[in-house]
Amino acid sequence: MADKLRGRKIAFLATDMVEQVELTRPLEAVRSAGAEAELISLEPGQIQAFNHYDKADRFPVDRAVEDVDADDYDGLVLPGGVGNPDTMRQSGHAVSFVRAFFERGKPVAAICHAPWLLVEADVVHGRRLTSYPSVRTDVRNAGGDWVDEEVVVDEGLVTSRQPDDLDAFCSKLVEEFAEGYHEGQRRSVHAGAAAR
């Protein structure tokens, strides 16, 4: 597994109140597989991670989302935590960045509350995915097929429900990032637009 992602560059999109373990475990997984990883956020500096409702560590931001392009990355990880994706989905730059990965057929992995960003980017219509249970109605209202499973893989989209699912989530995201391009990602963008 050490070389499975060698030469790949993976973006991690997060801001304050990110669930720390949902950031650090996938970071460790892609780096252990040989990938370069960058933490992208709303602005330069540092972000404050949380362990549920308690402050945890701070992490340095590599680049601001308004200064990046999906073409520069091979995959995208969206960690959860309640406040992180709720803040992120209010940023037009963040939503456009997420949508761009789907438009280009690149793999995306989202855990916990992070599928809120997928809903906002209008890329869940016709897709099978999971999330934290409180996001279920949002996913279904956006045309997604929500299921209660540890990890769900749907043509380049990897989703999981919560930190307890991280082993399966990390394994599958490395696998999908190694596969690279997925035509199903591109089709979901067009399906969402057609459904409107």
Side-chain angles (χ1 to χ4, degrees):
M1 180 152 135
D3 290 335
K4 205 168 190 175
L5 297 180
R6 184 158 311 285
R8 308 272 168 118
K9 189 174 180 182
I10 309 301
F12 282 72
L13 183 62
T15 192
D16 291 334
M17 297 185 72
V18 64
E19 186 70 27
Q20 182 160 313
V21 71
E22 294 174 2
L23 172 65
T24 58
R25 289 278 305 280
L27 267 170
E28 291 166 7
V30 300
R31 287 177 175 156
S32 293
E36 177 186 350
E38 284 192 348
L39 178 57
I40 312 303
S41 193
L42 298 175
E43 51 192 45
Q46 294 185 331
I47 60 170
Q48 176 67 61
F50 275 66
N51 291 324
H52 202 49
Y53 291 113
D54 300 319
K55 283 187 178 181
D57 298 323
R58 295 183 65 76
F59 293 87
V61 171
D62 294 303
R63 298 177 72 191
V65 70
E66 66 184 37
D67 299 328
V68 295
D69 190 311
D71 288 335
D72 297 333
Y73 301 93
D74 300 294
L76 173 65
V77 176
L78 302 172
V82 178
N84 166 49
D86 192 45
T87 299
M88 201 62 81
R89 68 183 176 158
Q90 297 175 61
S91 163
H93 291 295
V95 172
S96 294
F97 185 62
V98 170
R99 187 174 173 84
F101 279 84
F102 287 83
E103 291 169 343
R104 290 159 177 77
K106 294 183 177 188
V108 174
I111 188 167
C112 197
H113 291 78
W116 267 338
L117 266 166
L118 305 179
V119 168
E120 198 68 34
D122 195 22
V123 295
V124 301
H125 187 84
R127 302 301 295 269
R128 187 172 183 269
L129 65 155
T130 194
S131 67
Y132 196 74
S134 65
V135 181
R136 170 183 51 229
T137 301
D138 298 305
V139 168
R140 287 180 174 158
N141 287 343
D145 176 16
W146 188 91
V147 295
D148 185 12
E149 295 177 13
E150 178 181 52
V151 65
V152 176
V153 179
D154 184 1
E155 298 187 73
L157 174 61
V158 180
T159 53
S160 282
R161 303 167 299 188
Q162 59 201 3
D164 289 347
D165 301 335
L166 277 164
D167 287 342
F169 180 70
C170 290
S171 175
K172 287 297 183 182
L173 72 83
V174 167
E175 184 179 311
E176 292 299 298
F177 289 172
E179 289 177 11
Y181 178 83
H182 289 79
E183 180 60 30
Q185 292 286 70
R186 294 187 75 239
R187 282 195 306 269
S188 71
V189 173
H190 303 298
R196 277 186 256 129

